[in-house]
């Protein structure tokens, strides 16, 4: 008989039909490409952020250096309020593309000279609410021009004098020289050139990153194909094995772990072919054994049907018996009660099943009202039938008392071993009452006869006495 292999791993369940299936190569490609894309984007963003920070820092540094140079060259002109010199100094800044406006202020931050190098630019106030913590400090703030809507960087650099109330040119003793702020240089820096440079940097960096990303994705696709191709072949072989096709050999000539796995699959195929041959031989033997087992099962079924019919007849017989019948095991636990026993004891079969007999069958002596010895224990101890009648009262579950006669006998198996006890009993209450009434009637009749005899004798004695009295008269 040919050996059959059943596929258990690819059953068409509702879940597998509705859920999209991703191959190992697709998952590997998604994972690797995702890592490449995330890494490339993170690197690109890092360089862009670094370039933006450096560009703006360079802009601020250039503006600060220009302001310091103007402050050094305008110190004397501010003292002398020489606007012509200051104007020439301001005009010299027109060659700097990063400067949108410039204003030279006095000590009270009032403009002495100012000039704008962009159209529609309004020079803002010079940090009226902020002060310098040191003479070398430069203040910065962002300023949005209302006329053109552009953003500028507004800077304020102090002009520091190294003299007292006159310049140091007129001082004889220079030990009295001290530093003080005599004016300010206000510059407006535009970031147009910075933005253009950043845009060019982002464009070029994005092109390079895209090129590297494409190369990386191409390499991933090529490597994925080289890696997954032998795996797909192994999967195809595994599919054939699951369908019972064991005739094809596996040939994968890679120099990695997949080749080792292919060799292991090949060895498994050889073993499976050997096992299939052994299984076919064993299947033939099992078929013959199965036929024999079918015959035994059929015989056992007929035997069980006969036992069931016998059990049913026994149950019908027990139900039809007017006496109560209780069957126990050798531990004295109830496992069978007929309807008469249920009625007399007040315990249903389901309720009493498994309970000890002394809990279900509660009997006392009529005269002493003491509990009688357990008849089941007596039958088990003596190993013979024990019959008790007369002065025994059965107290039912609801408290009803009945006089009963009972008999207990051990149950033996085919080897005469005791396997339980059967207890049979019936209600003799009415019979006892009739016997007591009959006995009472007989006693009354005896008393009547005795009274009649006494009356007759007394009558005879009285007649004799009366006769003697008459003679005496």
């Amino acid at each position: 008989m040919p050996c059959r292999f059943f596929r258990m791993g690819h059953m068409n369940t509702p879940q597998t039909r509705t859920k999209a299936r991703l191959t190992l190569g697709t998952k590997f490609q998604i994972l690797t490409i995702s890592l490449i894309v995330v890494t490339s984007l993170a690197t690109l963003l890092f360089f862009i952020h670094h370039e933006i920070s450096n560009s703006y820092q360079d802009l601020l540094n250039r503006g600060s250096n220009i302001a310091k140079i103007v402050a050094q060259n305008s110190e004397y002109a501010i003292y002398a309020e020489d606007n012509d010199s200051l104007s020439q100094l301001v005009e010299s800044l027109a060659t700097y593309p990063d400067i949108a406006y410039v204003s030279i202020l006095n000590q009270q931050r009032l403009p002495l000279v100012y000039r704008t190098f962009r159209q529609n630019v309004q020079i803002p106030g010079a940090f009226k609410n902020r002060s310098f913590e040191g003479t070398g400090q430069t203040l910065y703030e962002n300023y949005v021009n209302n006329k053109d809507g552009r953003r500028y960087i507004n800077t304020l650099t102090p002009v520091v004098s190294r003299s007292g109330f006159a310049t140091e040119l007129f001082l004889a003793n220079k030990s009295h020289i001290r530093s003080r702020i005599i004016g300010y240089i206000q510059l407006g820096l535009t970031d147009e050139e910075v933005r253009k440079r950043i845009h060019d940097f982002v464009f070029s960096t994005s092109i390079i990153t895209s090129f590297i990303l494409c190369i990386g994705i191409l390499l991933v696709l090529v490597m994925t194909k080289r890696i997954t191709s032998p795996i797909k072949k192994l999967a195809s072989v595994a599919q054939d094995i699951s369908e019972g096709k064991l005739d094809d050999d596996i040939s994968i000539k890679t120099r990695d772990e997949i080749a080792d796995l292919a060799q292991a699959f090949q060895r498994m195929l050889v073993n499976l072919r050997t096992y299939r041959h052994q299984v076919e031989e064993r299947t033939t033997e099992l078929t013959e054994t199965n036929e024999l087992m079918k015959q035994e099962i059929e015989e056992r079924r007929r035997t069980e049907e006969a036992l069931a019919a016998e059990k049913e007849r026994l149950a019908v017989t027990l139900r039809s018996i007017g006496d109560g019948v209780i069957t126990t095991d050798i531990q004295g636990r109830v496992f069978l009660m007929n309807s008469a026993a249920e009625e007399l004891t007040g315990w249903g079969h389901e309720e009493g099943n498994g309970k000890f007999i002394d809990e279900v069958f509660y009997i006392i002596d009529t005269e002493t009202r003491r509990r009688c010895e357990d008849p089941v224990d007596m039958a088990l101890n003596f190993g013979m039938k024990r019959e008790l009648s007369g002065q025994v009262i059965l107290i039912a579950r609801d408290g009803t008392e009945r006089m009963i006669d009972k008999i207990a006998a051990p149950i033996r198996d085919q080897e005469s071993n005791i396997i339980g006890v059967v207890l049979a009993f019936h209600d003799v209450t009415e019979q006892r009452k009739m016997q007591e009434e009959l006995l009472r009637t007989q006693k009354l009749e005896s008393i009547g006869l005795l009274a009649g005899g006494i009356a007759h004798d007394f009558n005879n004695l009285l007649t004799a006495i009366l006769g003697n009295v008459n003679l005496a008269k």
Side-chain angles (χ1 to χ4, degrees):
M1 180 178 179
C3 178
R4 297 181 181 179
F5 293 87
F6 297 94
R7 296 175 58 190
M8 300 298 292
H10 300 282
M11 296 180 65
N12 291 326
T13 61
Q15 182 178 3
T16 57
R17 288 197 298 267
T18 58
K19 187 176 180 181
R21 183 175 180 268
L22 294 178
T23 62
L24 180 62
T26 303
K27 293 179 181 179
F28 181 77
Q29 290 174 358
I30 293 174
L31 176 61
T32 309
I33 293 174
S34 299
L35 291 176
I36 293 175
V37 171
V38 171
T39 305
S40 300
L41 291 177
T43 305
L44 178 61
L45 292 176
F46 172 77
F47 282 114
I48 291 175
H49 179 268
H50 183 70
E51 179 64 21
I52 292 174
S53 300
N54 291 339
S55 298
Y56 276 96
Q57 187 63 42
D58 291 341
L59 177 62
L60 295 177
N61 292 335
R62 288 197 303 271
S64 177
N65 293 331
I66 293 172
K68 290 179 180 179
I69 293 173
V70 173
Q72 292 176 1
N73 295 328
S74 63
E75 179 181 354
Y76 177 76
I78 292 175
Y79 267 124
E81 295 184 358
D82 186 358
N83 292 339
D84 294 336
S85 299
L86 295 176
S87 298
Q88 293 177 1
L89 185 60
V90 169
E91 289 295 336
S92 65
L93 300 178
T95 58
Y96 293 93
D98 296 330
I99 299 177
Y101 58 84
V102 60
S103 177
I104 300 178
L105 311 176
N106 60 13
Q107 192 174 14
Q108 289 75 30
R109 298 189 183 181
L110 298 176
L112 297 175
V113 177
Y114 62 88
R115 171 71 186 277
T116 60
F117 305 106
R118 296 287 189 276
Q119 295 181 356
N120 299 325
V121 176
Q122 183 179 358
I123 300 176
F127 300 86
K128 294 181 178 181
N129 298 325
R130 295 178 63 181
S131 60
F132 290 89
E133 298 178 357
T135 57
Q137 182 185 8
T138 299
L139 300 181
Y140 302 93
E141 68 177 1
N142 290 323
Y143 162 63
V144 179
N145 186 29
N146 295 328
K147 292 184 178 182
D148 58 5
R150 294 182 179 179
R151 186 172 64 91
Y152 300 95
I153 301 175
N154 190 29
T155 67
L156 186 65
T157 303
V159 179
V160 181
S161 173
R162 300 296 179 178
S163 62
F165 293 97
T167 60
E168 60 181 11
L169 297 175
F170 303 100
L171 288 178
N173 188 5
K174 295 184 180 181
S175 62
H176 295 85
I177 296 176
R178 62 186 181 84
S179 299
R180 68 187 185 94
I181 297 174
I182 61 173
Y184 302 92
I185 306 299
Q186 182 180 4
L187 294 179
L189 303 177
T190 178
D191 58 354
E192 293 179 357
E193 294 295 328
V194 173
R195 288 177 178 271
K196 182 179 179 181
R197 188 173 66 181
I198 291 174
H199 179 269
D200 295 338
F201 176 81
V202 171
F203 180 76
S204 59
T205 307
S206 300
I207 292 177
I208 296 173
T209 304
S210 301
F211 178 73
I212 295 175
L213 185 62
C214 293
I215 294 176
I217 293 175
L218 182 61
L219 290 176
V220 168
L221 296 177
V222 173
M223 293 302 298
T224 301
K225 185 176 181 180
R226 291 179 60 87
I227 293 174
T228 58
S229 178
I231 295 178
K232 289 181 179 179
K233 189 172 183 180
L234 286 178
S236 177
V237 173
Q239 181 72 21
D240 293 339
I241 292 174
S242 66
E243 295 176 354
K245 301 175 182 179
L246 307 178
D247 299 328
D248 296 335
D249 293 328
I250 303 174
S251 177
I252 295 177
K253 298 180 180 180
T254 59
R255 298 180 181 179
D256 51 17
E257 290 81 359
I258 298 178
D260 298 337
L261 182 61
Q263 294 178 2
F265 263 86
Q266 181 62 31
R267 290 193 295 270
M268 182 180 68
L269 274 175
V270 174
N271 293 332
L272 286 176
R273 292 166 187 167
T274 304
Y275 295 155
R276 181 175 63 179
H277 179 70
Q278 294 176 356
V279 168
E280 290 175 352
E281 294 179 352
R282 183 59 179 166
T283 301
T284 304
E285 297 177 0
L286 290 177
T287 302
E288 298 175 356
T289 306
N290 189 31
E291 294 297 329
L292 296 176
M293 290 182 62
K294 286 182 179 180
Q295 296 176 3
E296 294 179 359
I297 291 173
E298 182 63 23
E299 294 178 359
R300 181 174 297 180
R301 184 184 62 80
R302 289 194 294 268
T303 303
E304 290 177 352
E305 290 177 354
L307 289 176
E310 185 68 23
K311 184 178 181 180
E312 181 63 22
R313 288 193 295 272
L314 176 61
V316 172
T317 303
L318 288 176
R319 287 194 296 268
S320 62
I321 294 176
D323 294 346
V325 177
I326 299 176
T327 306
T328 69
D329 55 16
I330 58 176
Q331 283 80 29
R333 294 183 182 273
V334 177
F335 68 87
L336 179 63
M337 296 177 64
N338 67 349
S339 57
E342 293 178 0
E343 180 180 357
L344 292 176
T345 60
W347 289 83
H349 181 269
E350 298 295 334
E351 298 173 342
N353 190 24
K355 295 185 178 297
F356 287 101
I357 186 64
D358 57 357
E359 184 178 355
V360 177
F361 190 75
Y362 191 88
I363 55 176
I364 61 174
D365 186 81
T366 305
E367 297 179 355
T368 63
R369 304 291 294 182
R370 294 181 178 178
R371 187 163 187 172
C372 296
E373 187 177 358
D374 188 357
V376 174
D377 290 340
M378 296 174 62
L380 291 173
N381 293 333
F382 289 98
M384 58 184 300
K385 179 175 67 175
R386 302 292 295 176
E387 181 176 359
L388 296 175
S389 63
Q391 310 300 322
V392 177
I393 295 176
L394 171 65
I395 301 178
R397 188 178 184 182
D398 58 358
T400 303
E401 296 184 0
R402 296 183 178 89
M403 298 184 68
I404 62 170
D405 286 341
K406 64 181 185 306
I407 182 171
I411 302 174
R412 300 180 182 273
D413 57 11
Q414 296 179 354
E415 297 179 357
S416 297
N417 296 321
I418 297 176
I419 59 174
V421 174
V422 59
L423 176 65
F425 57 95
H426 64 277
D427 186 3
V428 296
T429 303
E430 296 299 329
Q431 182 180 353
R432 291 290 186 267
K433 288 182 179 180
M434 292 177 62
Q435 291 178 357
E436 291 177 357
E437 290 294 332
L438 180 61
L439 181 61
R440 186 179 298 110
T441 302
Q442 292 176 355
K443 288 182 179 180
L444 289 176
E445 291 178 355
S446 299
I447 292 173
L449 293 175
L450 178 61
I454 293 175
H456 180 74
D457 293 339
F458 183 75
N459 189 25
N460 293 334
L461 180 61
L462 182 61
T463 301
I465 292 174
L466 291 176
N468 292 328
V469 171
N470 290 328
L471 293 176
K473 290 179 177 182

